[in-house]
Amino acid sequence: FVAAIANFFLGALWYSPVMFAKPWSKMIFGDISMEEAKKKVTNVGQLMTLAFVMTFITAVGFGLVMYSLPESLSTTERLFSAIGFAGIVSVFINAANMYKHYLFEVKPFKLAVINSLHDWVAFTMMTVIMAYWN
């Protein structure tokens, strides 16, 4: 649950005006203003709830893997395992699969980079939280 909350806050920062909101929204919504884009979202509460549920499911998946590591591993070994696992999942599974879909959806490579980097940071953060906490 804590890892999911951390991921959710990272997403709020990542897709905020402080970081990538402007290029991300331009690639998603085109040249319409953020105000117009926000009007397309009819139920923000439902959207955020479903987004958190998906984030929680992701955290559960990582938890299943992280907690299957041998108990004999030191904290440092668990942390390195977490970072390695998150990197493998991020690059070889998530980013490659995401970009495959983006190719058929004719979405820009830059969008795949923004979203994939977010997931890499989020996955690393979640697995490190779990590795350290265990």
Side-chain angles (χ1 to χ4, degrees), residues 24-94:
W24 179 83
S25 64
K26 184 163 181 63
M27 288 180 278
I28 295 293
F29 301 113
D31 290 327
I32 67 172
S33 69
M34 281 303 290
E35 291 73 31
E36 289 296 317
K38 287 177 184 177
K39 289 178 186 174
K40 291 184 176 204
V41 178
T42 57
N43 191 337
V44 175
Q46 182 181 18
L47 176 72
M48 297 305 274
T49 300
L50 289 173
F52 183 76
V53 168
M54 296 299 112
T55 301
F56 184 76
I57 290 170
T58 302
V60 169
F62 280 122
L64 292 171
V65 173
M66 293 308 301
Y67 292 114
S68 70
L69 293 173
E71 290 183 26
S72 60
L73 293 179
S74 69
T75 301
T76 303
E77 290 169 324
R78 294 185 77 74
L79 290 171
F80 278 112
S81 295
I83 293 166
F85 177 67
I88 289 168
V89 169
S90 297
V91 174
F92 294 102
I93 299 171
N94 188 61

Side-chain angles (χ1 to χ4, degrees), residues 75-126:
T75 301
T76 303
E77 290 169 324
R78 294 185 77 74
L79 290 171
F80 278 112
S81 295
I83 293 166
F85 177 67
I88 289 168
V89 169
S90 297
V91 174
F92 294 102
I93 299 171
N94 188 61
N97 198 53
M98 182 185 305
Y99 188 58
K100 173 189 70 180
H101 291 291
Y102 284 17
L103 288 171
F104 285 98
E105 295 167 1
V106 194
K107 292 183 180 176
F109 179 71
K110 185 177 178 181
L111 180 62
V113 171
I114 290 172
N115 290 334
S116 295
L117 284 175
H118 167 267
D119 289 346
W120 173 65
V121 173
F123 294 172
T124 301
M125 180 181 61
M126 291 189 331

